[in-house]
Amino acid sequence: MALRKVYLLDTNIISEAIKPIANEEVSSRLEMTTFSSVISATVLYELLKGINVLPEGARKTKLDKFVNDYVRTTYPILPYDEHCASIQAEIYSRMQKNGTPVSMSDSQIAATALANNLIIVTRNAKDFEPIQKEFSLCVENWFEAC
């Protein structure tokens, strides 16, 4: 019996859904995997931070509506918890020892994926390569054709 793949969507994948001219491959994959995709609290933070720094206006209102009416109701949001914190500390220490530090957000997203046995979906697969080499982290780039 095969295990069901569950995807942890990165911020740049979620953001693609609201672009006027979205990448067709990403749009198609988002549609096909709606019920097997999640986001992390870190991704929600990045989306909200991006909205909060915008000046008041139509764009900010549209993005706020997108996050609240679509993202929050479509995708379960996984918390950053004690287990994730332990894994992130291990990621940080190994990356520092190897001379390949990773960003706080990327290491939190990777820790959430590892803690929950998820596949990270991102346009920035290179950002996760150092972690992939040290841990059993699965990463997919849906901007590349299958």
Side-chain angles (χ1 to χ4, degrees), residues 6-7 16 18 21 25 27 30 35 47 50 52 58-59 68-69 83-84 91 102 104 107-108 113 123 132 135 138:
V6 180
Y7 301 99
E16 194 66 21
I18 198 168
I21 302 174
E25 181 71 22
S27 295
L30 280 170
F35 298 109
L47 291 168
N52 288 340
R59 183 166 184 250
N68 288 306
D69 294 351
H83 188 206
C84 295
I91 290 170
V102 293
M104 178 70 125
S107 62
Q108 281 184 338
R123 183 176 211 154
Q132 279 183 278
F135 298 85
C138 296

Side-chain angles (χ1 to χ4, degrees), residues 80-111:
Y80 178 82
D81 60 13
E82 183 178 346
H83 188 206
C84 295
S86 296
I87 293 171
Q88 186 182 12
E90 182 64 26
I91 290 170
Y92 177 83
S93 64
R94 284 200 207 175
M95 297 302 97
Q96 286 297 109
K97 287 177 188 172
N98 293 345
T100 54
V102 293
S103 76
M104 178 70 125
S105 291
D106 287 345
S107 62
Q108 281 184 338
I109 292 167

Side-chain angles (χ1 to χ4, degrees), residues 33-78:
T33 63
T34 299
F35 298 109
S36 58
S37 296
V38 299
I39 66 170
S40 67
T42 305
V43 167
L44 180 61
Y45 156 76
E46 289 181 335
L47 291 168
L48 294 173
K49 177 183 76 170
I51 293 167
N52 288 340
V53 299
L54 291 174
E56 295 301 323
R59 183 166 184 250
K60 182 174 185 169
T61 300
K62 179 182 176 183
L63 292 172
D64 188 60
K65 183 171 177 46
F66 169 74
V67 169
N68 288 306
D69 294 351
Y70 173 73
V71 176
R72 286 182 162 174
T73 61
T74 303
Y75 300 106
I77 300 168
L78 299 181

